[in-house]
């Protein structure tokens, strides 16, 4: 439509009609050009295995009644094409070569007219298809020799061992070379790569510079875990060689060393994508001082996908959706699909409903470049265009590198069981190195003997390196020393009262003429007397004071989540909206004494990708307090892979930890199975080797000290806070100023109303908001039990619990009370750890029975259950029988 409109205007000009062909022929010519731009990829030769392209009828000029004579009469200038040729007849072969060769493009779906026009000009002018000089062609051949010889050597030296070779997609490494070279030329200071296991070893050694001997050591089993695997020691289990990441330096042609990081990634293939973007966002963010500055040149993210995984796994769509959002953009991620045209054993027809593995990206306006992996020159052109686009528009771009997999899913697999025809073709297919060497020989650049000699030299180098390494293994080495246990540490979390009062006033200040919504104004006004002797500092106010005090100390904060600006339960209100103009004001970002930045973003309705992003951000921004909040804690199960594979196991597998803090609203208020439980039992199941911190605190002051402790402790660990809902405004859960100006977070809280500990024969232990119901029920008993709280679930506060039990010498029965079903919650975690501390006292459970669903869906049923739990916990068994 755009082209037709332009052409019609041109034909209507006074001087145009005599010089132009018939209007219908011009319109047909425009339709033909549009067809090549839109559907030319269907006729492109993208498959190295020789599958003929399906083509498309719209690419044929004959049905459009365009004869050679007609096309010769249509000026190319009218068609607005950038390929060579004065007429459509002269331009048509170049259009076919441009759009239907070994590289193809899908860009017409992009909504931006400016971007579409720019892409057409670059594609048709061939600006990205710079011919390689002779020296560059020889360098490319040598790189392909390195890639292939490394894989073939490993295949022969370690026959049958898994390595997930790159063979069939060998050009991936030279493409990364070109990408990093280009990034360095544009001023980029770091590259962060995420990829699954296919080709990972080759990327580790040839892109990040990891020595061959370190790869051989993995195959030889020379790397051993540290001794002393006793509980509590700071050691890990490690991970298989094709999951490990690394950091290295890529040496450019100009001699510049550019830092390159390869992110650790488990077998959950696509989940590293948001982690990489988060790491890059952290590198790009300047957090010193109050203002938030983003530097796009600080780093570039590169994510290498699998074809089956890109199309099938939902985390890809979630991550792509983050790409242009204010709180998550990275000025463009380069996506590469390592397309081997088959899943583990699954054919494409069974793996996706779309024609291409890349089709999902169309919904996010990404330009898509398809390229035949056996055409090195076209592959290099694809990288250049993707980088040109990112540099111009600061947006994501995607390359679909279409190749094959020379071996099975792993090297011990027999692929011909399931794809016999494909693997018959692959077996007879020369490698891309062989093909490219033949091209150079045919061009007279070098002889066939010289090409083979280059390969033989590279292979022999690997043989010599391995033999030297094996010889070194025969020498005696001392045992690896065990890593000592890191001692428990505490930090100061109290803040002077005058400082907190000043911060409170600053947090309530608004610009002149700013009108706060009347209902919100009443809430905020209550925060002034709450600082006085009567107290009443609620959860949201304590949190704001904790944040503000940390900013004053120079600790950056990033808080994201669904509705986190206001808070799901309307308790936070860090952003004010002018009731008359809609203008926004964030007092936390305008504190006069702030020494660090405060990032605050409402996230999209995503758990999986957003949590992965914040994990990546926090592993890089080690000085910052990074917080992610779920709308309801129940929704954390939507991000379970990030929890299991990264947050809880990353330290044991890869030595990677962070201080990422999760706020997960948790508590049974009769809101149903999906609005009650943050599944704390799952976190407890993952808790081991000091890998994380889990807290279920019940007062505003406890939360204040917990947040400040997490931000200030040098020993970084993730923190999960099971935050309340009903307690956010419960007066009993509020705190006085003196509780913030002194003391610290207490892992265990004794019964505050118990005057005579010696008179108590029954102790009820609980965690979370159930305490307040139990405390009310206990007050009504003739023989009042004590009710104490476990505020920290992990690390398990054994010392503090032992001290608590020691204060009750006459207790004969200890009850663990919880809202969650018996097979959920903390019971199965607490019971075996609590029993040894009881010294013969009876331990009893009070809570919901085992259930498949966390909570009741009917409010009345919830009320009955809560009352029963309280009664079972606080009433002696004899009295219950009487009742």
């Amino acid at each position: 439509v755009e082209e037709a409109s332009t052409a019609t205007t041109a034909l209507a000009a006074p001087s145009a009609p005599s010089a132009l062909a018939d209007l219908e022929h011009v319109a047909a010519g425009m339709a033909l050009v549009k067809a090549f731009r839109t559907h030319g990829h269907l006729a492109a030769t993208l498959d190295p295995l020789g599958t003929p392209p399906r083509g498309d009828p719209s690419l044929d000029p004959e049905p459009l009644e365009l004869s050679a004579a007609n096309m010769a009469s249509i000026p190319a200038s009218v068609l607005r094409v950038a390929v060579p040729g004065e007429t459509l007849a002269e331009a048509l072969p170049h259009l076919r070569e441009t759009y239907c060769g070994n590289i193809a493009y899908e860009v017409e779906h992009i909504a931006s007219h400016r971007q579409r026009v720019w892409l057409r000009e670059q594609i048709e002018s061939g600006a990205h298809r710079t011919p390689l000089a002779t020296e560059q062609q020889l360098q490319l051949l040598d790189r392909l020799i390195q890639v292939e010889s490394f894989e073939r050597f490993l295949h022969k030296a370690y026959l049958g061992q898994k390595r997930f070779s790159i063979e069939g997609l060998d050009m991936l490494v030279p493409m990364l070379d070109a990408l990093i070279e280009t990034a360095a030329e544009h001023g980029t200071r770091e590259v962060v790569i995420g990829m699954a296991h296919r080709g990972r070893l080759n990327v580790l050694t040839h892109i990040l510079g990891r020595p061959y001997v370190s790869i051989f050591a993995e195959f030889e089993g020379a790397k051993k875990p540290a001794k002393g695997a006793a509980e509590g020691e700071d050691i890990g289990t490690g991970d298989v060689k094709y999951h490990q990441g690394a950091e290295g330096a890529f040496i450019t042609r100009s001699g510049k060393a550019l830092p390159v990081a390869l992110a650790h990634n488990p077998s959950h293939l696509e989940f590293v994508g948001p982690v990489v973007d988060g790491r890059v966002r952290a590198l790009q963010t300047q957090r010193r001082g109050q203002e938030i500055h983003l530097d796009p040149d600080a780093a570039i993210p590169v994510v290498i996908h699998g074809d089956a995984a890109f199309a099938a796994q939902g985390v890809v769509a979630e991550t792509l959706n983050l790409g242009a959002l204010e709180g998550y953009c990275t000025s463009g991620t380069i996506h590469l699909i390592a397309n081997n045209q088959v899943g583990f054993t699954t054919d494409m027809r069974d793996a996706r409903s779309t024609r291409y593995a890349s089709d999902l990206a169309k919904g996010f306006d990404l330009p898509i470049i398809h390229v035949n992996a056996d055409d090195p020159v076209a592959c290099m052109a694809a990288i250049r265009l993707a980088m040109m686009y990112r540099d111009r528009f600061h947006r994501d771009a995607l390359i679909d590198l279409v190749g094959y997999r020379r071996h099975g899913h792993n090297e011990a697999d027999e692929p011909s069981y399931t794809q016999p025809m494909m693997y018959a073709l692959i077996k007879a297919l020369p490698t891309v190195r062989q093909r490219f060497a033949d091209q150079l020989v045919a061009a007279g650049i070098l002889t066939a003997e010289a090409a083979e000699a280059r390969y033989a030299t590279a292979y022999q180098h690997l043989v010599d390196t391995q033999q030297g390494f094996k010889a070194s293994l025969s020498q005696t080495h001392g045992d690896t020393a065990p890593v000592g246990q890191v001692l428990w540490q505490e930090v100061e979390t109290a803040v002077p009262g005058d400082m907190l009062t000043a911060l409170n006033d600053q947090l309530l200040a608004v610009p002149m003429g700013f009108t706060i919504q009347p209902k919100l104004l009443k809430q905020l006004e209550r925060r002034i007397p709450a600082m006085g002797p009567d107290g009443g500092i609620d959860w949201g106010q304590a949190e704001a004071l904790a944040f503000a005090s940390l900013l004053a100390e120079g600790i950056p904060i990033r808080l994201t989540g669904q509705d986190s600006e206001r808070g799901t339960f309307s308790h936070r209100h860090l952003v004010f909206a002018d009731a008359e103009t809609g203008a926004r004001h964030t007092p936390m970002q305008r504190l006069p004494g702030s020494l660090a930045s405060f990032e605050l973003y409402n996230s999209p309705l995503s758990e999986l990708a957003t949590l992965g992003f914040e994990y990546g951000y926090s592993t890089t921004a080690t000085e910052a307090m990074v917080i992610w909040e779920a709308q309801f804690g129940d929704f954390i199960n939507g991000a379970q892979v990030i929890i299991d594979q990264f947050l809880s196991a990353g330290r044991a597998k890869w030595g990677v930890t962070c201080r990422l803090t999760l706020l997960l609203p948790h508590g049974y208020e009769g809101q149903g199975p999906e609005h009650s439980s943050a599944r704390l039992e799952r976190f407890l199941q993952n808790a081991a080797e000091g890998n994380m911190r889990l807290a279920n605190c019940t007062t505003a002051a406890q939360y204040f000290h917990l947040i400040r402790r997490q931000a200030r402790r040098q020993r970084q660990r993730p923190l999960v806070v099971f935050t309340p809902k009903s307690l956010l405004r419960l007066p009993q859960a509020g705190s006085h100023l003196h509780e913030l100006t002194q003391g610290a977070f207490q892992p265990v809280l004794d019964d505050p109303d118990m005057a005579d500990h010696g008179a108590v024969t029954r102790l009820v232990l609980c965690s979370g908001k159930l305490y307040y119901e139990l405390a009310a029920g206990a007050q009504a008993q003739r023989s009042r039990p004590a009710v104490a709280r476990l505020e920290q679930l992990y690390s398990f506060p054994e010392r503090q619990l032992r001290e608590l039990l020691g204060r009750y010498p006459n207790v004969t029965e200890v009850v663990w009370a919880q809202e969650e079903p018996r097979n959920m919650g903390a019971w199965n975690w607490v019971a075996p750890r609590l029993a040894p501390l009881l010294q013969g006292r009876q331990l009893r459970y009070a809570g919901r029975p085992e259930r498949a669903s966390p909570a009741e869906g009917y409010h009345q049923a919830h009320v009955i259950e809560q009352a029963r739990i309280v009664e079972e916990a606080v009433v002696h068994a004899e009295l219950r029988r009487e009742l």
Side-chain angles (χ1 to χ4, degrees), residues 307-326:
D307 53 322
F310 188 89
Q313 296 192 5
V315 67
V316 177
E318 287 192 30
T319 306
L320 291 175
N321 184 55
L322 299 179
L325 301 182
E326 181 186 0

Side-chain angles (χ1 to χ4, degrees), residues 669-684:
E669 283 102 358
Q671 297 189 54
E674 276 75 59
H675 295 87
S676 299
S677 175
R679 296 292 193 169
L680 60 87
E681 66 277 356
R682 294 179 180 170
F683 287 95
L684 288 169

Side-chain angles (χ1 to χ4, degrees), residues 318-597:
E318 287 192 30
T319 306
L320 291 175
N321 184 55
L322 299 179
L325 301 182
E326 181 186 0
Y328 303 90
C329 65
T330 60
S331 294
T333 300
I334 299 298
H335 300 270
L336 277 157
I337 296 180
N339 190 343
N340 54 37
Q341 305 189 71
V342 66
F344 188 161
T345 64
T346 304
D347 289 319
M348 291 182 290
R349 63 176 178 270
D350 299 316
R352 60 177 185 264
S353 297
T354 58
R355 176 171 301 281
Y356 295 117
S358 57
D359 282 342
L360 174 68
K362 291 181 182 177
F364 298 93
D365 269 3
L366 271 66
I368 299 169
I369 308 165
H370 304 279
V371 64
N372 188 316
D374 270 7
D375 185 339
V377 176
C379 290
M380 303 302 273
I383 279 290
R384 280 194 290 270
L385 180 60
M387 291 296 287
M388 290 164 61
Y389 175 82
R390 180 187 186 271
D391 185 56
R392 178 65 176 261
F393 298 106
H394 306 290
R395 303 267 302 185
D396 291 13
L398 184 145
I399 297 172
D400 178 21
L401 180 64
V402 184
Y404 55 91
R405 188 183 68 196
R406 186 163 288 276
H407 305 288
H409 178 67
N410 61 68
E411 286 65 36
D413 180 47
E414 178 47 71
S416 63
Y417 289 159
T418 48
Q419 278 81 24
M421 304 302 291
M422 172 186 278
Y423 276 88
L425 290 172
I426 292 173
K427 188 176 181 179
L429 199 67
T431 66
V432 64
R433 187 268 307 176
Q434 292 170 319
R435 290 186 176 192
F436 191 57
D438 290 345
Q439 292 176 25
L440 299 188
V441 170
I445 294 175
L446 80 171
T447 65
E449 293 77 15
E452 283 304 313
R454 285 174 180 250
Y455 180 85
T457 300
Y459 193 90
Q460 187 59 43
H461 174 66
L462 292 164
V463 172
D464 296 341
T465 301
Q466 188 216 31
Q467 289 179 351
F469 171 68
K470 282 190 169 184
S472 70
L473 291 180
S474 62
Q475 300 175 9
T476 303
H477 295 281
D479 291 335
T480 304
V483 180
Q485 183 174 353
V486 178
L487 298 178
W488 177 85
Q489 64 172 152
E490 191 52 275
V491 294
E492 179 66 41
T493 58
V495 179
D498 55 350
M499 180 178 179
L500 290 177
T501 301
L503 289 172
N504 189 65
D505 293 342
Q506 293 166 13
L507 290 169
L508 297 175
V510 296
M512 185 70 68
F514 193 96
T515 304
I516 297 181
Q517 203 270 351
K519 287 185 178 180
L520 175 57
L521 182 60
K522 291 180 180 179
Q523 293 184 45
L524 297 175
E525 287 176 341
R526 287 197 290 268
R527 293 187 175 185
I528 298 175
M531 302 293 285
D534 294 334
I537 299 172
D538 64 17
W539 200 273
Q541 186 175 6
E543 179 188 72
L545 291 172
F547 289 169
S549 64
L550 291 171
L551 293 173
E553 294 169 8
I555 297 176
I557 298 172
R558 176 181 167 92
L559 170 62
T560 66
Q562 298 151 5
D563 314 298
S564 288
E565 293 181 358
R566 190 198 79 171
T568 300
F569 311 103
S570 195
H571 72 286
R572 181 172 289 128
H573 294 290
L574 290 175
V575 179
F576 303 155
D578 191 299
E580 297 180 359
T581 67
R584 292 160 61 87
H585 173 63
T586 306
M588 197 74 70
Q589 295 177 340
R590 296 292 179 265
L591 295 175
S594 176
L595 300 176
S597 65

Side-chain angles (χ1 to χ4, degrees), residues 46 103 135 142 229 267-268 487 667 717 862:
L46 300 175
I103 183 171
E135 186 60 30
D142 286 339
S267 285
H268 297 68
L487 298 178
R717 295 291 184 272
H862 161 78

Side-chain angles (χ1 to χ4, degrees), residues 215-280:
I215 304 293
F216 298 156
E218 298 280 357
F219 283 97
E220 297 285 350
K223 290 192 175 182
K224 299 178 181 179
K227 288 189 174 182
E231 184 176 6
E233 287 192 333
D234 194 15
I235 61 174
T237 57
D239 202 354
V240 294
K241 51 188 169 290
Y242 38 81
H243 288 171
Q244 294 173 3
E247 294 182 356
F250 182 92
I251 309 301
T252 67
R253 288 189 298 269
S254 64
K256 178 181 179 181
L258 190 71
V260 180
L262 177 64
H264 305 277
N265 193 36
S267 285
H268 297 68
L269 307 181
E270 296 296 330
F271 293 84
V272 76
V275 175
V276 166
D277 283 350
R279 288 184 62 169
V280 169

Side-chain angles (χ1 to χ4, degrees), residues 708-789:
R708 283 185 48 79
R709 183 179 76 161
Q710 174 69 358
R712 302 186 80 230
R713 293 182 78 173
Q714 292 183 353
R715 189 186 184 199
Q716 296 188 31
R717 295 291 184 272
L719 167 66
V720 181
V721 186
F722 300 96
T723 56
K725 293 168 281 184
S726 61
L727 303 192
L728 295 174
R729 297 177 182 83
L730 185 72
Q732 297 94 311
S735 299
H736 289 76
L737 179 60
H738 70 82
E739 296 177 85
L740 279 57
T741 62
Q742 56 188 301
F745 174 76
Q746 300 299 318
V748 176
L749 290 179
D750 197 356
D751 192 325
D753 300 319
M754 187 54 60
D756 186 1
H757 289 72
V760 176
T761 60
R762 198 146 171 273
L763 174 63
V764 180
L765 291 175
C766 66
S767 185
K769 56 93 53 176
L770 181 63
Y771 162 76
Y772 293 98
E773 296 168 64
L774 293 169
Q779 292 286 359
Q781 302 305 309
R782 295 196 306 269
S783 178
R784 185 185 181 286
V787 183
R789 285 163 276 180

